[in-house]
Amino acid sequence: MDRLTNTVRPYAWGSTTAIPELLGTAPTGEPQAEMWMGAHPGAPSRTDRGAGPVSLADVIAADPEGELGPDAVRAFGPRLPFLLKLLAAGSPLSLQVHPDLTQAQEGYADEEKRGVPADAPHRNYKDANHKPELICALTPFEGLCGFRHPAEAATLLEGLGVSALKPYADILRAAPEDAALREVLTAVLGADRDETAETVEQAATAARRLAGEGGPHADAYAAYAAIAHHYPGDPGVLAAMLLNHVRLQPGEALFLGAGIPHAYLGGLGVELMANSDNVLRCGLTPKHVDVPELLRVVRFEPRDAAVLRPEEATAAGEEVYETPTDEFRLSRFVLAPGGPSRTLGDRGPQILLCTAGAVAVHVVGAGAGGGSVSRTDAGSRTGVGSRTEAGSRTEADSRTGAGSRTDLTLAPGESVFVPAGERVELAGEGTIFRATVAL
């Protein structure tokens, strides 16, 4: 197995304190939004197998079947199909949706055929893959997920008492649900920006007042007022009012499938997604919003936000967050003091992330079976420019042979890559999140 050194991305919406607190490091004063664990080309994790630091992407490219296993390579090709993150939202992220696989393949092929530069700000499809994702709260976490039922959204808009919103509420009450949601979102995103800015300000003022008065929608009104504070005049504020407002407690999760509009508003969580960059934005952003393509991809299906809670699926105490996605599978191990060790299967690649306590990870049968265990770790917590790297070597790590690494102890925020064919055992007191493929 390989200890990972990971990059922390300094996006403007990131919390300045949440990730440093988890890692036990001093805040820099700059936002630290996401810590990436995986082989994404934008910021691959690094490891050291004795010849100096190397990216995990290069390690996998040198021996895809050895690192990922033949089943994963057959299913997803010669690359790690998922990306694991720590996500720390200090302010709202953009309101967005992701395409399904067919839409991504068609959209990518079309933009390639038309010669749209890969780095063009108006490009929608960076690759030909879909991007389902799962967010699991480590702290209280707030977000928007999926369309409200139109009648409920109409009640919310009517409660604001803003005359410019009355036509939207009337549509939401009169038309079939999917048609009503489509018509209102199209109207909001297509309206004159200056006129919309005035409506947004009136709605935000009313939302702040109603949040302070209490009532059944007080939390939602408070969230919309906060969004408007960060994005004054943005039509995405009105689009957000069509969506379910969700509060997650630690250990609870949301699955975001294709076409489901969503936004993360605040909190720290573990995020797992298919390895893609395809995002279509609906608002709450200065970036490009392609309204026609967005309307093609969005699923106008009202639904209650389905909060996921882990189910214990194995005798080893593995708590699984079930999703319909093959590219990834997220689970959690909560190790109690004096409790039994936990042994993990070895069919596919794994990334293990510690979020609490101190957990010892041991390679079972080191030197036998699939997957080399002659892997060293090198890592330090250092800042490099605007990119912070996270990962460290602990004194409890033991060496077997020249430079081999078969026993590691993980502290909060530390992670390891376990290649296919290596079985590992967990012991100690703490919490481990396990990202692997659903094979």
Side-chain angles (χ1 to χ4, degrees), residues 333-340 354-360 409-412 426-432:
F333 293 85
V334 180
L335 304 175
C354 179
T355 60
V359 177
T409 297
L410 301 183
L426 308 178
E429 178 183 354
T431 302
I432 288 284

Side-chain angles (χ1 to χ4, degrees), residues 11-26:
Y11 304 133
W13 49 261
S15 167
T16 59
T17 58
I19 288 179
E21 286 177 2
L22 183 71
L23 297 176
T25 60

Side-chain angles (χ1 to χ4, degrees), residues 19 61 69 79 81 109 120 124 141 166 204 237 242 244 341 351 380 383 397 408 412 423:
I19 288 179
R79 67 171 193 160
N124 293 316
F141 195 94
K166 185 178 185 304
V237 175
L242 301 175
N244 295 298
S341 61
I351 293 178
S380 62
D397 298 347
L408 300 173
R423 301 184 70 200

Side-chain angles (χ1 to χ4, degrees), residues 32 37 40 50 76 89 111 141 166-167 169 248 261 282 287 289 296 302 326 328 334 375 419 421:
Q32 297 189 33
M37 291 158 279
H40 189 286
F76 311 114
E111 291 185 329
F141 195 94
K166 185 178 185 304
L248 300 179
C282 312
K287 295 182 179 180
V289 177
R296 188 179 78 88
D326 294 332
F328 63 74
V334 180
R375 300 169 185 200

Side-chain angles (χ1 to χ4, degrees), residues 6-10 32 41-44 46 382-390:
N6 305 306
T7 297
V8 176
R9 310 306 295 264
Q32 297 189 33
R46 298 201 308 278
T382 58
V384 181
S386 63
R387 292 158 58 119
T388 303
E389 295 170 348

Side-chain angles (χ1 to χ4, degrees), residues 13-84:
W13 49 261
S15 167
T16 59
T17 58
I19 288 179
E21 286 177 2
L22 183 71
L23 297 176
T25 60
T28 64
E30 299 297 319
Q32 297 189 33
E34 295 181 344
M35 187 175 83
W36 289 20
M37 291 158 279
H40 189 286
S45 300
R46 298 201 308 278
T47 190
D48 189 335
R49 294 187 173 180
V54 62
S55 84
L56 183 60
D58 290 342
V59 169
I60 291 170
D63 183 12
E65 287 206 0
E67 302 296 337
L68 305 177
D71 292 340
V73 172
R74 278 193 297 270
F76 311 114
R79 67 171 193 160
L80 190 67
F82 60 80
L83 176 64
L84 182 66

